[in-house]
Amino acid sequence: MRPQRPAWPTFRRIIGLHRSHAGVVALLVVVIVASAVVGLGPAYLLQRIVDDALPTAAGGGSGSTLNALILVMVLLVAFGAFLGVVQSYLSNVIGQTIMFDLRRALYRHLTGMSLRWFTANRTGEVLSRVSNDVGSVQNAVSEVLTGIIGNLVVVGTTFGLMLFLDWRLALFSVAFIPVFLFPARRVGNIQRELLGESQEQLANLNTRMHETLSVSGALLMKTFGREQMEYERFEDTAREIRRLNIRRAMVGRGFMVAMGLFTSLAPAIVYWYGGHRVIGGEASLGTVVATASLLGRMFQPVNQIMNINLTLISSLALFERIFDYLDLEQEIADRPGAVALRDVRGEVRFEDVTFGYRKDTPALSGISFTIPPGKFGALVGHSGAGKTTTAYLLPRLYDVDDGRITIDGHDIRDVTLESLTACIAMVNQEPYLFHDTIRANLRYGAPNATDAEIEDACRAANIHDFIAGLPYGYDTVVGERGYRLSGGEKQRVSIARALLKDPAILVLDEATSSVDTHTERVIQEALAHLTRGRTVLAIAHRLSTILAADVILVLDHGRLVEQGTHAELLARGGVYAALYREQVRDRAGAAAGG
């Protein structure tokens, strides 16, 4: 069982969430105090009406005094109702804005986490922290400040006036407060409708998070440098959720105000005790009536204070989960003084690079090689040799443990992530497409690309004719992860997307390892357009696809054991030659079997 943390540090941090909204908080406190003071007026005026304005056995009443007191009472009730609406609005603005701040802070922080972190955490857990946990603390955030301060002020001022009127009757009345509990109130159809809209927007928010905070989505977002764009799209949806929730809360407040205006409590026990004091000449009738009225004013805040205490305690665990994520260290980040890469030629150099997913188990050891600008480098080796790991180090999806990687002589850790991802594109073996139109997926590589540029890129990727033949053309929605397209079609869309980005360096995972011969030929033609004039670091599964590579890098158990051209490596008769002969035999056997 997880040990409980001290509550005060978390509670202090919750209070700290309000500091950036100090002006609105201060205005809310002023409104709370004013509302509490104004709320005392009708009860005090009621005493004056009964004792001074109405006729009694001792003398006649005063019509003018009665009229004046009633008018003032009406004005105070109306003004109090107005202050109540203002208080509710300010409270919900503060609460919903803090929720908005928490959501966007979590999303911005998590999009900056390394790929190592995404592979080590479950997507559902990540989404639960950002969506469910933040949503579950809504009441604590929006009600604690108003609830604690407002209810304490109301209780204090109300009980003070009750003591002023008759301290014995006041103490007797307070003793029965726990007996009087307000029933739960329901809101109407309008609020349910707003809630439905809010939940729909929340579903859209969860969909976007599921796509961008999953391993595949995060990989695509990082390799295309789209963190800022995703953050802005997330922020727009979160802002709409905030607006809907504020409206929903205000509709509920309207119901409660309306019910409060037409609902009165008549605690008979107070009238019984007070009536005997009036009969005995120990209290005035007006005092008893005013005290009974004030007693009803105390029931709700006392009950709310107890509920707030339970809400806050139960919410501490959720706040701790949220703060745990906000406190995560971002492994991949710009160093102080990082400079932007400019005029990239594309020279890639690995210098004695060592890396491990775990510190005690290196996945790569002492990797050194150079790919000149505009040349084609291929990574080959058995499964688990370290090919993908090597390729993922170049765009800083992970950082090296020792050694360094340079582009045009610049250590990639000394340049800005934005400029690094701007000069690198990645085409993966399993391309990732968002549940959006083909056009929107293509523009992920170049948000400002024109329709003409999109079509040119698709022609080069051998996919334009297919897209143009679809009923909705480029506005066709591809479905979740692009499931409406075949593997070869998705691959060519991803190639066109990389062409639109026009990178100096291309990281290429073998795109034809699981397609038929015809599709392989079409994709290879598209890749020829993509790789022309660019520095390429390719992960090769089929050696037949990289025979013309300028340099073939042979990895074995995390070490670079050979490098050279196809002919040179065959002549050496080493690991590469054995791999090549093995694949030739397998293909020959498959052809014979077919």
Side-chain angles (χ1 to χ4, degrees):
M1 184 175 179
R2 182 179 174 181
Q4 288 188 344
R5 305 179 188 179
W8 172 242
T10 302
F11 183 66
R12 182 172 55 191
R13 197 165 176 180
I14 295 171
I15 296 175
L17 296 174
H18 296 80
R19 291 175 184 167
S20 58
H21 312 288
V24 183
V25 171
L27 179 60
L28 174 61
V29 172
V30 171
V31 172
I32 288 173
V33 174
S35 180
V37 173
V38 170
L40 297 176
Y44 178 72
L45 292 173
L46 186 59
Q47 184 214 26
R48 294 285 308 278
I49 289 172
V50 173
D51 288 345
D52 299 337
L54 296 179
T56 64
S62 171
S64 60
T65 302
L66 177 63
N67 293 339
L69 291 175
I70 290 295
L71 177 61
V72 173
M73 179 181 290
V74 170
L75 292 175
L76 285 177
V77 169
F79 187 54
F82 170 75
L83 288 178
V85 173
V86 173
Q87 176 181 322
S88 179
Y89 174 75
L90 292 175
S91 174
N92 279 284
V93 165
I94 293 171
Q96 289 299 325
T97 302
I98 289 175
M99 298 277 290
F100 170 70
D101 291 344
L102 281 174
R103 281 198 179 102
R104 68 175 181 174
L106 271 172
Y107 190 80
R108 177 180 281 270
H109 192 74
L110 292 178
T111 55
M113 298 302 292
S114 70
L115 193 62
R116 185 203 306 266
W117 186 85
F118 284 99
T119 58
N121 288 273
R122 296 176 300 175
T123 302
E125 174 70 12
V126 177
L127 297 185
S128 177
R129 300 281 181 115
V130 180
S131 182
N132 296 339
D133 289 358
V134 175
S136 297
V137 300
Q138 176 178 346
N139 290 337
V141 171
S142 60
E143 294 179 4
V144 165
L145 179 67
T146 304
I148 293 178
I149 296 177
N151 289 315
L152 287 177
V153 170
V154 169
V155 170
T157 54
T158 302
F159 188 57
L161 181 57
M162 290 172 66
L163 290 173
F164 172 76
L165 294 175
D166 189 319
W167 67 270
R168 292 183 180 84
L169 187 58
L171 293 179
F172 179 83
S173 301
V174 169
F176 290 91
I177 282 181
V179 176
F180 300 94
L181 298 175
F182 277 95
R185 291 187 173 94
R186 294 183 178 181
V187 296
N189 292 331
I190 297 177
Q191 189 180 32
R192 288 199 297 270
E193 181 180 347
L194 289 174
L195 179 59
E197 294 179 19
S198 177
Q199 291 300 106
E200 183 177 348
Q201 289 296 327
L202 188 59
N204 293 336
L205 195 74
N206 287 335
T207 298
R208 174 56 50 186
M209 289 188 296
H210 179 70
E211 290 180 335
T212 56
L213 296 182
S214 65
V215 174
S216 299
L219 173 62
L220 179 63
M221 179 175 59
K222 288 178 175 297
T223 54
F224 280 93
R226 294 277 80 86
E227 289 95 336
Q228 181 63 29
M229 185 187 76
E230 289 297 340
Y231 164 71
E232 291 172 357
R233 293 173 67 178
F234 177 90
E235 186 179 43
D236 289 341
T237 306
R239 184 178 286 111
E240 177 66 8
I241 291 173
R242 179 186 67 167
R243 184 188 68 82
L244 289 170
N245 284 338
I246 290 175
R247 284 188 60 198
R248 182 167 61 89
M250 293 309 298
V251 169
R253 175 62 184 175
F255 275 99
M256 286 187 285
V257 169
M259 293 178 68
L261 292 175
F262 293 99
T263 302
S264 62
L265 292 176
I269 191 70
V270 174
Y271 281 114
W272 171 78
Y273 178 73
H276 281 286
R277 287 179 55 79
V278 171
I279 294 172
E282 299 176 356
S284 69
L285 178 60
T287 298
V288 174
V289 173
T291 301
S293 175
L294 290 170
L295 179 62
R297 179 178 167 80
M298 291 189 66
F299 294 156
Q300 186 176 11
V302 170
N303 186 39
Q304 287 182 350
I305 288 174
M306 291 186 292
N307 290 334
I308 289 170
N309 181 55
L310 294 175
T311 300
L312 185 58
I313 292 175
S314 63
S315 298
L316 286 178
L318 295 174
F319 277 111
E320 289 169 355
R321 284 166 55 86
I322 295 170
F323 294 150
D324 282 346
Y325 265 31
L326 286 174
D327 293 339
L328 289 171
E329 181 180 357
Q330 292 183 333
E331 181 183 353
I332 309 297
D334 287 342
R335 284 180 172 178
V339 298
L341 271 175
R342 301 183 186 279
D343 302 320
V344 178
R345 295 182 299 112
E347 182 194 59
V348 173
R349 186 187 297 270
F350 278 58
E351 301 176 1
D352 198 25
V353 168
T354 297
F355 169 78
Y357 296 100
R358 294 181 300 180
K359 295 298 182 182
D360 57 341
T361 308
L364 300 174
S365 299
I367 303 295
S368 296
F369 63 84
T370 300
I371 304 176
K375 298 300 182 180
F376 192 116
L379 294 166
V380 304
H382 291 290
S383 178
K387 302 185 296 296
T388 301
T389 301
T390 302
Y392 281 9
L393 291 175
L394 182 57
R396 284 194 74 191
L397 298 178
Y398 304 98
D399 266 345
V400 301
D401 295 331
D402 289 302
R404 69 174 192 156
I405 301 171
T406 66
I407 294 178
D408 295 347
H410 299 281
D411 190 323
I412 61 174
R413 293 169 296 184
D414 293 329
V415 302
T416 62
L417 283 168
E418 182 180 4
S419 66
L420 178 65
T421 56
C423 73
I424 300 175
M426 179 175 286
V427 177
N428 299 294
Q429 182 180 1
E430 293 293 332
Y432 188 93
L433 300 180
F434 292 115
H435 184 79
D436 209 332
T437 64
I438 295 175
R439 192 188 312 276
N441 274 284
L442 290 166
R443 280 209 172 106
Y444 207 80
N448 298 320
T450 65
D451 289 344
E453 290 170 337
I454 288 175
E455 291 183 11
D456 288 343
C458 288
R459 286 190 178 92
N462 290 334
I463 192 66
H464 170 73
D465 291 341
F466 166 77
I467 296 173
L470 295 172
Y472 298 100
Y474 283 86
D475 293 320
T476 300
V477 176
V478 300
E480 181 74 13
R481 299 181 65 90
Y483 76 92
R484 294 179 182 173
L485 304 181
S486 70
E489 291 159 358
K490 287 193 292 184
Q491 192 61 268
R492 282 177 281 160
V493 169
S494 71
I495 291 172
R497 181 169 55 193
L499 277 166
L500 280 171
K501 187 177 182 181
D502 192 23
I505 300 170
L506 177 67
V507 177
L508 179 64
D509 198 347
E510 178 64 68
T512 61
S513 60
S514 58
V515 297
D516 58 75
T517 303
H518 171 72
T519 303
E520 178 181 3
R521 184 174 65 253
V522 174
I523 292 176
Q524 289 293 352
E525 291 174 359
L527 288 173
H529 289 283
L530 178 59
T531 58
R532 188 176 298 128
R534 294 183 170 88
T535 303
V536 178
L537 180 61
I539 302 170
H541 302 281
R542 292 180 179 177
L543 301 185
S544 60
T545 63
I546 49 93
L547 299 182
D550 297 294
V551 58
I552 298 174
L553 309 164
V554 185
L555 297 174
D556 187 36
H557 294 93
R559 294 184 177 275
L560 183 62
V561 295
E562 293 177 333
Q563 59 179 305
T565 64
H566 172 69
E568 291 170 347
L569 294 175
L570 278 183
R572 292 179 191 172
V575 175
Y576 178 81
L579 280 171
Y580 184 75
R581 288 193 297 268
E582 180 181 333
Q583 286 199 7
V584 169
R585 286 196 303 268
D586 291 342
R587 295 185 68 176

